[in-house]
């Protein structure tokens, strides 16, 4: 039974039905519609607000992780890994959290070792005897499928190896499409490896596997890093009037000779030079790379580092080395190419020589006017080594209105500055502090990135790009971890005082290797440092330009300073972070901001 309410007039009389309907029911009907409309608007507002909050969750939780009470107990204790003592680094005053983090970083870069300290060369990995096979090469593959490859390594006698630890580079590519992506390698530590590729474009796709270093060579590189961090040495010039002296400098100096202590007062970054015999420490004028130590290897170890023998040599397939991949529909491709997970692998791929990241929307800035429009009103700080200096050089040469000012800086060293007065753009480059293997850097220009960041006010028109890796490859990883820890503290302080500041990290990249370069700047060293850097800067609100994958996935030869086409793609990724293309997510963010302000 349905109960119908009875409405009464002003004096208690029952209103006629028609009058009641017209006079009362109609306004009630309108009120109900207005109420439902208000609830719908509120629901949309709450949805958009929650979406916006989720989108910024990583930044908030990342900062919280860094400022939590240090006395809390870790939920999982990292296994302590024995380390060789270096230069008093074991006496650093670290918080409990920093100790736990350092142990977890050591664990992350721990590498499998051969069962014996000394393996005869003929028992080391021979890429010419090794091979790979594609699992189910004739299967019907579609874009988005996983392709699996097994790699079997053998020694120079053709015998299968029984342990792992080889460093491999793997890649899929289609030359006619100028397409490429890298694979993920799993070491079974028994002489076999499984490689996982995600098939990201249709057509004929070829698999390539290369041996960068055999496991026996990696063992030598580990020994050099721990025992011979002085294999690159540095010098400083001290000068007063007509008297000048040159002495050796480094993070740590052996012996009991008097030293000049140039340890940074703010960050505590250590740096020492042997004291000149006649001059005071205050007379230092410049810093420069002294050179590379020779005769680092035994005759047997030298055999492990031979061009065209066991350094970046291809391993060939024992069967088909390519598969045919069928396309997907547009809707399926969109869902495949955009992942909200920061750990998606690979992070992107090349197609028609253009980089397509899988975790962000990208636009390609092929016209200088597009770059000018993006950077208008902004200050861009580039900190680091010569690989980020390439960004400065490309932008300055490609954008006509960006004019470089003559600061009297040494060539290829800096600091450098370019200005576009018409569009209010300021572009700056400064190299990181020592150790740095540049020709000549004035002592007054030896600035640490952490200190520079502390001097920046920040804001929505401030963009910062950082790269720091190559010049730390010869040192134990403790040196690198300490430097990143100082930079990270400054980044967190900067984002805390001005969260609208954009901070972008350019990762390491692969390079050409020969017998000598391998001992100082091997890709294996770079890969280890890059692993540490990504872990230390994850979850604190910074963004990454994946120069590692962008250099490894491309068809051009590896170079420390990649070719212009790769640099252009790096800058497309960088500028797409500075000026994100309009997407569904940015539209929601705009709706959220407007509706929230209206509600308030």
């Amino acid at each position: 039974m349905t109960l119908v309410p009875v409405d009464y007039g002003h004096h208690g009389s029952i209103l006629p039905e028609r009058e009641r309907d017209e006079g009362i029911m109609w306004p009630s009907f309108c009120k109900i519609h207005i109420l439902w409309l208000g609830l719908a608007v509120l629901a949309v507002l709450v949805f958009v607000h929650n979406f916006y909050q989720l989108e910024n969750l990583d930044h908030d939780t990342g900062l919280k992780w860094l400022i939590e009470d240090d006395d809390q107990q870790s939920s999982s204790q990292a296994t302590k890994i024995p380390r060789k003592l270096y230069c008093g680094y074991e006496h650093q005053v670290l918080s409990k959290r920093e100790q736990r983090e350092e142990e977890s970083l050591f664990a992350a870069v721990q590498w499998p070792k051969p069962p014996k300290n000394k393996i005869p060369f003929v028992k080391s990995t021979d890429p010419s005897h090794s091979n790979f096979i594609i699992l189910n090469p004739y299967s019907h593959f579609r874009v988005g499928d996983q392709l699996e490859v097994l790699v079997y390594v053998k020694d120079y006698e053709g015998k299968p190896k029984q342990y792992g630890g080889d460093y491999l580079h793997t890649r899929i590519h289609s030359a006619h499409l100028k397409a490429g992506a890298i694979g993920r390698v799993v070491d079974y530590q028994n002489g076999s490896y499984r490689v996982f590729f995600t098939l990201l474009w249709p057509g004929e796709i070829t698999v390539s596997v290369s041996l960068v270093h055999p496991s026996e060579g990696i063992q030598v590189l580990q020994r050099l890093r721990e025992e011979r961090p002085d294999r690159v040495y540095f010098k400083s010039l001290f000068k007063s009037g007509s008297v000048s002296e040159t002495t050796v400098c480094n993070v740590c100096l052996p012996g009991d000779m008097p030293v000049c202590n140039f340890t940074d007062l703010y960050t505590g970054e250590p740096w020492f030079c042997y004291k000149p015999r006649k001059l005071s420490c205050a007379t230092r004028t410049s810093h420069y790379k002294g050179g590379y130590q020779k005769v680092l290897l035994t005759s047997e170890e030298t055999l492990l580092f031979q061009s065209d023998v066991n350094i970046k040599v291809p391993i060939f397939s024992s069967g088909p080395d390519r598969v045919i991949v069928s396309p997907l529909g547009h809707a399926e491709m969109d869902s495949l190419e955009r992942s909200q997970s920061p750990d998606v692998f690979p992070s992107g791929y090349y197609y028609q020589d253009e980089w397509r990241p899988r975790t962000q929307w990208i636009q390609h800035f092929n016209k200088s006017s597009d770059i000018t429009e993006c950077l208008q009103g902004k200050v861009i700080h580039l900190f680091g080594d010569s690989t980020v200096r390439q960004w400065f050089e490309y932008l300055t040469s490609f954008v006509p209105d960006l004019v470089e000012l003559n600061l009297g800086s040494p060539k290829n060293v800096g600091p450098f500055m370019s200005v576009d007065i018409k569009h209010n753009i300021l572009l700056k480059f400064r190299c990181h502090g020592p150790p740095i293997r540049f020709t000549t850097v004035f002592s007054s220009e030896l600035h640490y990135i952490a200190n520079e960041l502390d001097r920046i006010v920040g804001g929505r028109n401030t963009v910062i790009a950082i790269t720091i890796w190559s010049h730390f490859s010869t040192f134990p990883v403790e040196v690198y971890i300490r430097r990143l820890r100082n930079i990270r503290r400054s980044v967190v302080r900067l984002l805390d005082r001005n969260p609208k500041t954009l901070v972008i990290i350019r990762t390491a990249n692969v390079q050409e290797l020969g017998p000598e370069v391998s001992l100082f700047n091997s890709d294996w060293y770079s890969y280890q440092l890059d692993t540490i850097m990504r872990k230390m800067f994850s979850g604190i609100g910074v963004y990454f330009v994946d120069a590692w994958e962008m250099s490894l996935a491309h068809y051009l030869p590896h170079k420390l300073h990649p070719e212009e086409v790769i640099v252009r793609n790096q800058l497309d990724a960088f500028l797409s972070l500075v000026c994100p293309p309009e997407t569904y997510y940015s539209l929601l963010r705009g709706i959220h901001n407007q509706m929230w302000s209206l509600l308030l």
Side-chain angles (χ1 to χ4, degrees):
M1 175 169 50
T2 304
L3 296 177
V4 179
V6 178
D7 207 356
Y8 291 87
H10 293 294
H11 303 288
S13 60
I14 299 176
L15 292 173
E17 184 178 350
R18 180 181 179 86
E19 185 179 345
R20 186 172 65 245
D21 289 345
E22 291 180 355
I24 303 299
M25 295 297 290
W26 177 248
S28 300
F29 182 74
C30 291
K31 288 177 183 177
I32 290 172
H33 272 67
I34 292 171
L35 177 63
W36 278 110
L37 181 62
L39 288 173
V41 171
L42 185 61
V44 171
L45 179 60
V46 170
F47 167 75
V48 175
H49 179 68
N50 288 343
F51 182 90
Y52 183 72
Q53 292 296 100
L54 282 171
E55 204 177 32
N56 291 276
L57 186 62
D58 283 347
H59 173 70
D60 294 336
T61 54
L63 295 181
K64 182 181 178 184
W65 177 83
L66 287 170
I67 60 176
E68 282 173 344
D69 181 14
D70 185 54
D71 291 332
Q72 69 177 16
Q73 294 298 315
S74 174
S75 58
S76 61
Q77 295 294 328
T79 304
K80 188 154 182 78
I81 297 171
R83 302 282 302 168
K84 288 184 179 292
L85 304 183
Y86 174 69
C87 209
Y89 268 72
E90 68 278 9
H91 300 309
Q92 287 185 91
V93 179
L94 301 178
S95 68
K96 292 179 181 178
R97 180 179 299 106
E98 288 170 340
Q99 292 173 16
R100 292 192 298 268
E101 180 190 40
E102 195 162 272
E103 287 299 323
S104 69
L105 292 172
F106 293 156
V109 297
Q110 199 170 21
W111 200 266
K113 293 184 178 181
K116 299 178 182 178
N117 287 333
K118 292 185 179 180
I119 304 288
F121 172 70
V122 294
K123 296 293 185 182
S124 67
T125 305
D126 177 13
S128 65
H129 276 102
S130 305
N131 64 81
F132 72 85
I133 61 169
I134 297 175
L135 297 182
N136 304 315
Y138 301 110
S139 296
H140 177 66
F141 290 104
R142 300 181 72 208
V143 171
D145 287 346
Q146 288 285 307
L147 178 67
E148 296 185 25
V149 172
L150 288 176
V151 183
Y152 299 100
V153 296
K154 299 179 181 180
D155 62 23
Y156 286 87
E157 296 175 338
K159 296 178 181 178
K161 293 186 66 177
Q162 302 301 315
Y163 55 91
D166 300 295
Y167 180 41
L168 306 176
H169 280 170
T170 60
R171 176 173 166 259
I172 51 174
H173 52 99
S174 299
H176 64 291
L177 295 173
K178 294 185 177 179
I182 72 169
R184 179 170 59 89
V185 180
V186 175
D187 184 354
Y188 288 135
Q189 300 190 32
N190 61 1
S192 67
Y193 303 80
R194 187 180 291 257
V195 187
F196 297 88
F197 296 101
T198 301
L199 302 171
L200 293 165
W201 63 90
E204 185 179 80
I205 293 181
T206 303
V207 175
S208 293
V209 178
S210 296
L211 175 73
V212 183
H213 295 300
S215 55
E216 298 77 15
I218 297 294
Q219 189 178 29
V220 174
L221 295 180
Q222 286 179 306
R223 177 182 65 79
L224 291 176
R225 184 173 65 185
E226 303 303 326
E227 298 178 2
R228 294 300 307 271
D230 63 336
R231 60 192 185 281
V232 175
Y233 59 96
F234 306 87
K235 291 188 175 182
S236 275
L237 175 66
F238 296 80
K239 188 174 182 180
S240 178
S242 59
V243 180
S244 63
E245 293 183 65
T246 300
T247 69
V248 172
C249 308
N250 217 317
V251 172
C252 186
L253 294 173
D256 298 325
M257 295 173 59
V259 297
C260 294
N261 186 351
F262 296 113
T263 297
D264 183 66
L265 297 177
Y266 300 99
T267 63
E269 291 288 352
W271 192 254
F272 302 91
C273 296
Y274 286 122
K275 190 178 184 305
R277 289 177 296 175
K278 299 178 182 178
L279 300 175
S280 71
C281 295
T283 60
R284 182 177 66 150
T285 61
S286 62
H287 159 98
Y288 61 96
K289 179 185 70 178
Y292 299 92
Q293 300 284 3
K294 306 295 184 182
V295 195
L296 296 169
L297 307 179
T298 66
S299 56
E300 184 77 6
E301 289 174 336
T302 302
L303 299 175
L304 298 171
F305 298 93
Q306 301 181 69
S307 297
D308 302 321
V309 175
N310 50 20
I311 300 177
K312 286 199 175 181
V313 176
I315 294 175
F316 296 105
S317 174
S318 60
D321 65 349
R322 60 199 66 197
V323 296
I324 304 298
V325 181
S326 300
L328 294 177
H330 290 296
E332 293 174 300
M333 280 300 296
D334 286 343
S335 63
L336 172 70
E337 290 190 1
R338 294 292 167 264
S339 170
Q340 295 306 303
S341 170
D343 300 322
V344 64
F345 187 91
S347 69
Y349 64 100
Y350 282 104
Y351 191 80
Q352 299 294 357
D353 236 2
E354 291 186 340
W355 182 250
R356 298 186 175 187
R358 299 175 67 207
T359 55
Q360 70 171 98
W361 294 92
I362 192 169
Q363 53 184 328
H364 298 285
F365 294 77
N366 297 321
K367 296 187 296 185
S368 62
S369 58
D370 294 338
I371 297 178
T372 299
E373 183 181 355
C374 172
L375 298 182
Q376 184 164 356
K378 289 183 168 51
V379 178
I380 305 97
H381 300 268
L382 307 177
F383 295 115
D385 56 34
S386 55
T387 60
V388 81
R389 189 187 69 218
Q390 284 188 284
W391 290 11
F392 177 91
E393 293 165 349
Y394 180 91
L395 290 171
T396 301
S397 63
F398 186 70
V399 180
D401 291 333
L402 266 177
V403 179
E404 184 176 355
L405 303 181
N406 184 2
L407 303 180
S409 303
K411 184 180 179 181
N412 297 333
V413 174
F416 301 125
M417 180 186 297
S418 291
V419 178
D420 178 351
I421 298 176
K422 179 180 178 182
H423 301 98
N424 194 26
I425 301 172
L426 177 60
L427 176 67
K428 303 167 76 175
F429 163 80
R430 178 177 288 280
C431 67
H432 63 71
I436 188 159
R437 303 177 208 146
F438 282 0
T439 50
T440 299
V441 185
F442 298 132
S443 301
S444 58
E445 298 295 350
L446 288 173
H447 296 194
Y448 290 91
I449 293 176
N451 294 338
E452 291 296 304
L453 293 174
D454 284 339
R455 298 186 184 105
I456 295 173
V457 175
R460 65 173 61 251
N461 290 321
T462 301
V463 181
I464 295 165
I466 301 169
T467 191
I468 181 167
W469 53 280
S470 180
H471 299 258
F472 287 79
S473 58
T474 55
F475 294 94
V477 294
E478 288 92 335
V479 178
Y480 188 60
I481 291 171
R482 177 174 191 154
R483 183 62 56 90
L484 292 190
R485 192 181 289 126
N486 278 316
I487 294 173
R488 185 176 64 184
R489 288 193 190 108
S490 294
V491 167
V492 170
R493 286 193 291 265
L494 174 58
L495 294 177
D496 185 52
R497 64 179 176 266
N498 214 320
K500 298 295 184 182
T501 309
L502 181 62
V503 180
I504 298 168
I505 307 291
R506 181 205 183 275
T507 72
N509 59 262
V510 296
Q511 63 172 312
E512 69 277 19
L513 294 180
E516 185 175 22
V517 174
S518 295
L519 306 183
F520 304 97
N521 252 42
S522 166
D523 283 350
W524 182 79
Y525 287 138
S526 302
Y527 176 69
Q528 294 245 301
L529 298 182
D530 198 57
T531 300
I532 290 171
M533 183 275 296
R534 290 174 192 256
K535 286 184 175 296
M536 291 188 68
F537 280 90
S538 64
I540 64 166
V542 303
Y543 299 86
F544 294 91
V545 170
D546 201 333
W548 183 268
E549 287 196 24
M550 295 170 81
S551 59
L552 184 53
H554 203 271
Y555 57 84
L556 284 175
H558 299 167
K559 287 188 174 182
L560 175 61
H561 301 107
E563 297 288 355
E564 184 175 293
V565 62
I566 299 176
V567 175
R568 187 185 72 235
N569 277 288
Q570 292 173 4
L571 281 166
D572 283 344
F574 167 73
L575 292 169
S576 295
L577 291 168
V578 178
C579 305
E582 281 297 322
T583 66
Y584 170 73
Y585 305 105
S586 58
L587 178 64
L588 278 179
R589 189 158 45 239
I591 293 173
H592 164 269
N593 292 337
Q594 292 185 24
M595 295 183 70
W596 195 253
S597 61
L598 284 172
L599 181 66
L600 292 176

